[in-house]
Amino acid sequence: QIQLAESGGGLVQTGDSLTLTCSASSITFGTYVMGWFRQTPGKEHEYVAAISPKSIYIDLADFVKGRFTVSRDNAKNMMWLQMNNLTPEDTAVYYCAAATRPESKVWNEYVGWGQGTQVTVGS
């Protein structure tokens, strides 16, 4: 069972950048597809991005393309979400998650999740 923990959230202003970090406590981190989701109150978890075990396949949701990037370092058991040009619509709790199935974009297809980190973007 993989355990995940997000960090790096906070309060920023429109146009600012923020980097979220996902730390994993598993020697098998490098075998998982890793993803980012976000959630706002009353809504379902929204897919943001995913990266394959060896970083060959990277996918970003349309609404973050050109602004967000995802990367990972398997030797460090870590993944990052670099978020640029943030807007108030990006305000949410951001979660990292681990999957065993390739190209997973649905929350329930993942097998491990962090507790989330709050990102708030002021106008």
Side-chain angles (χ1 to χ4, degrees), residues 14 18 26 29 43-44 64 77 80 87 109:
T14 298
L18 201 61
S26 171
F29 172 78
K43 294 188 176 182
E44 297 291 325
V64 301
N77 280 8
W80 299 271
T87 73
E109 291 179 352

Side-chain angles (χ1 to χ4, degrees), residues 12-114:
V12 295
Q13 299 304 311
T14 298
D16 285 351
S17 298
L18 201 61
T19 300
L20 304 183
T21 300
C22 176
S23 300
S25 58
S26 171
I27 61 173
T28 60
F29 172 78
T31 68
Y32 288 92
V33 172
M34 295 300 298
W36 288 99
F37 289 81
R38 67 187 189 184
Q39 187 181 35
T40 54
K43 294 188 176 182
E44 297 291 325
H45 292 92
E46 181 177 44
Y47 170 80
V48 175
I51 184 167
S52 63
K54 296 187 184 300
S55 304
I56 295 173
Y57 170 77
I58 294 174
D59 183 69
L60 296 165
D62 287 343
F63 57 83
V64 301
K65 284 181 179 177
R67 299 190 301 126
F68 291 13
T69 59
V70 59
S71 60
R72 67 190 293 169
D73 186 332
N74 291 340
K76 297 180 179 179
N77 280 8
M78 296 175 73
M79 174 180 65
W80 299 271
L81 183 68
Q82 172 67 44
M83 306 184 294
N84 299 319
N85 195 21
L86 287 162
T87 73
E89 289 68 36
D90 295 316
T91 295
V93 177
Y94 284 73
Y95 298 87
C96 65
T100 57
R101 296 172 56 181
E103 301 184 21
S104 295
K105 297 185 179 182
V106 179
W107 178 259
N108 290 335
E109 291 179 352
Y110 283 69
V111 298
W113 306 266

